[in-house]
Amino acid sequence: MEGQCHRLGCLLMKPDCRTADVYSLILVGGIARVTGAGGGCPDWPTCFGGFAPPEASNALIDYAHRLAALSSALLLAAGTVIAWRGGSRSSGLRLALTAALGLMALQ
C-alpha cells in the first residue's frame, strides 16, 4: 500500500486546495482591513462572550476573518503532519510546510 494515500490526505496535499484556502484568508483579511472591522470582536475565541458573533457588521467581518484564519491553520497543520508521515518524499516540501506553519504561529 506504499505510495497510496487516503482521500483526505491526497486532498490536503494538493496545492490548489491550500491556495484557495489562503486566498480566501487574504480576501477576508483585506475586507476586514478596508472596512475597519479589525477588533470587531474584542475577545478570543469568543466574540462578546459567545461563539456566535452579534449581527453588527464589524463583528461579523472580524469573525469571518478569524474562521478563515482557523481554517488555514488547520489545513496547514494537517498538510504538514501528512507530509512528515510519508505523504511526501520531498524534504523541501516538508521543510517549507514546517516553516509556513511556524511563521503562521508567530503571526
Side-chain angles (χ1 to χ4, degrees):
M1 301 241 320
E2 190 171 302
Q4 295 179 356
C5 62
H6 300 286
R7 289 181 186 176
L8 180 60
C10 289
L11 177 65
L12 291 175
M13 293 305 293
K14 289 191 182 287
D16 293 345
C17 184
R18 292 189 307 273
T19 301
D21 189 61
V22 171
Y23 180 76
S24 69
L25 175 60
I26 292 169
L27 181 67
V28 176
I31 292 169
R33 172 73 171 108
V34 168
T35 61
C41 290
D43 48 346
W44 172 257
T46 61
C47 185
F48 291 102
F51 285 102
E55 293 185 20
S57 63
N58 280 355
L60 288 172
I61 293 169
D62 190 32
Y63 203 73
H65 183 251
R66 287 181 180 190
L67 291 177
L70 178 63
S71 169
S72 290
L74 292 175
L75 189 60
L76 181 59
T80 303
V81 168
I82 290 168
W84 278 101
R85 286 196 171 180
S88 172
R89 295 182 191 266
S90 169
S91 61
L93 176 63
R94 289 192 304 262
L95 292 176
L97 286 169
T98 303
L101 188 60
L103 289 172
M104 187 172 220
L106 285 175
Q107 184 195 2

